[in-house]
Amino acid sequence: MVKLAIVGCGGMAQGHGQTLASMPDVKLVAFCDIIKSRAEAFREKYAKEAQVFESHSDMVKSMKGKLDGVVNVTPHTVHYPQCKEALEAGLHVLVEKPMVTNIDHAYDLWKTVNASGKVFQIAFQAPYSSEFQAIKKLRDSGELGKVQLIQGWLAQNWRTNTIGTWRQDPKMSGGGQMYDSGAHTLNAIMWIMNEPVVEVACMYDKMETPVDINGIVMMKFQSGAMGTVCIGGNSPGWDTDLRVQSDTMQVRTFPHGGFLECMRFGRKFYPKVEFDNSPGAFTPHKNFIEVIQGKAQPVAPVRYGALLSALMDAMYDSAAKGAPVKVKPVPEKLD
């Protein structure tokens, strides 16, 4: 039985609570939120015997020896200090995207993960989906071929839905729609490519808010492949798409999984997608627990957080300078 705490009990954490409470190998033993009533509501809904805390530090100290890991669902800029504190206390960590909000924090957290020997996972959605695991098989077997172009699209009514929340406060969010929902699309592309972006050009429009709402990104990868992403935060409806062109096929999927179609020389085909109906299947939670138990390899470990942080830093730098910029190299491993 893996004993976990949920840190940050806002709306986004509801999905985490529902999934974790349904998993037979998980016991929720603590909830933490700066607004105590929200943590108490989670206790009432998901685990009536769990303890409630308003301070992450107090929870880590009080639950020493009674807690195996934390699921962090707090605002973006709080991820770094809380994840570092949890790791240094000997706890496994599953953190919501983005992992951190700058590359220096990413590297420091990567070193902390290595020193702790604990499991560290990022709760991106796409990599854990059955569709993206099928894409991985195509990629790793060589059947996908050499990727030449990759394109992502995301549109939602983010501007209206986040007015007055921390997501439009740069001190808490680190950025706007590109850093929030856009992180899923960008990571989906980074995960398929499994290599660093070396150069990027970016423009965005704040649309009379404190943060970016609509943004466009052009990327060049280490292999020479090129990519574009449109991230819309002022759309009247929700829409997503992700397309890949290689020298052997075209692939179409969604940045969150849920659909996969391939085409080779005008003929469509659908790779085998394996489904699992057990609790938590194809979610970050199941992989997190199975890695802790020694049953699986991590799907989205700390390096993917560093890849995204390096890209995001360069995107905002490019937008500020009005010119393409080089992206700081991200190694395969960090000593």
Side-chain angles (χ1 to χ4, degrees):
M1 186 66 67
V2 180
K3 294 172 287 186
L4 297 178
I6 293 179
V7 182
C9 299
M12 189 67 188
Q14 293 288 348
H16 291 278
Q18 292 169 9
T19 300
L20 292 167
S22 73
M23 297 177 69
D25 291 345
V26 172
K27 183 176 182 180
L28 291 169
V29 298
F31 299 107
C32 179
D33 196 285
I34 57 173
I35 300 175
K36 188 177 181 181
S37 60
R38 294 201 301 206
E40 290 173 335
F42 265 60
R43 177 176 62 185
E44 182 65 25
K45 187 173 184 179
Y46 298 117
K48 295 184 186 300
E49 296 180 358
Q51 296 190 48
V52 165
F53 297 90
E54 295 175 83
S55 162
H56 183 270
S57 295
D58 289 347
M59 182 193 72
V60 168
K61 293 174 184 176
S62 299
M63 297 295 290
K64 186 175 182 179
K66 303 175 184 178
L67 189 61
D68 297 313
V70 298
V71 178
N72 190 299
V73 203
T74 55
H76 304 159
T77 57
V78 186
H79 290 176
Y80 167 66
Q82 290 182 338
C83 289
K84 185 177 176 70
E85 182 178 42
L87 288 164
E88 290 178 339
L91 299 174
H92 305 292
V93 175
L94 174 64
V95 62
E96 259 295 347
K97 58 77 195 160
M99 181 179 80
V100 293
T101 54
N102 69 66
I103 191 60
D104 291 335
H105 286 171
Y107 280 130
D108 186 59
L109 200 56
W110 195 347
K111 292 176 183 177
T112 306
V113 171
N114 291 346
S116 73
K118 294 300 175 180
V119 175
F120 184 92
Q121 292 275 84
I122 309 163
F124 295 119
Q125 296 173 357
Y128 301 93
S129 71
S130 52
E131 291 80 13
F132 270 67
Q133 289 301 310
I135 293 172
K136 181 178 185 295
K137 289 181 180 179
L138 292 174
R139 183 194 70 199
D140 294 350
S141 69
E143 188 177 354
L144 179 60
K146 179 177 172 57
V147 175
Q148 301 168 341
L149 299 170
I150 189 163
Q151 179 186 56
W153 172 272
L154 169 67
Q156 66 181 127
N157 194 17
W158 190 88
R159 180 183 183 275
T160 299
N161 292 337
T162 59
I163 288 175
T165 73
W166 64 264
R167 296 180 189 275
Q168 289 197 25
D169 179 356
K171 293 181 180 178
M172 299 296 288
S173 64
Q177 168 72 326
M178 294 195 302
Y179 235 126
D180 197 37
S181 298
H184 284 298
T185 302
L186 292 165
N187 172 73
I189 288 173
M190 300 292 288
W191 196 86
I192 289 173
M193 295 301 298
N194 195 31
E195 62 176 284
V197 173
V198 296
E199 189 173 7
V200 65
C202 177
M203 295 184 289
Y204 63 75
D205 184 349
K206 292 185 177 181
M207 303 196 72
E208 300 179 342
T209 75
V211 295
D212 53 276
I213 301 298
N214 293 328
I216 59 171
V217 188
M218 293 186 292
M219 301 174 286
K220 183 177 181 179
F221 289 86
Q222 193 174 64
S223 63
M226 297 177 290
T228 62
V229 183
C230 287
I231 298 170
N234 193 41
S235 169
W238 170 273
D239 189 29
T240 62
D241 195 47
L242 199 160
R243 295 173 184 255
V244 181
Q245 174 191 301
S246 77
D247 58 355
T248 63
M249 70 175 71
Q250 294 179 37
V251 177
R252 185 183 174 210
T253 185
F254 297 149
H256 300 82
F259 171 80
L260 178 59
E261 178 182 86
C262 298
M263 184 170 67
R264 184 184 287 123
F265 304 114
R267 302 185 69 175
K268 292 181 180 179
F269 67 99
Y270 299 86
K272 183 179 180 181
V273 176
E274 299 178 358
F275 291 99
D276 179 352
N277 293 322
S278 62
F282 299 111
T283 68
H285 315 89
K286 184 173 183 182
N287 183 244
F288 181 55
I289 298 303
E290 290 185 344
V291 176
I292 292 173
Q293 295 172 331
K295 298 178 180 178
Q297 293 298 311
V299 169
V302 64
R303 176 174 174 264
Y304 287 96
L307 284 168
L308 182 61
S309 286
L311 173 59
M312 296 299 293
D313 279 5
M315 283 167 49
Y316 283 98
D317 186 31
S318 169
K321 292 178 177 176
V325 300
K326 301 294 185 182
V327 183
K328 291 182 180 179
V330 177
E332 286 280 346
K333 295 181 179 180
L334 190 68
D335 296 328

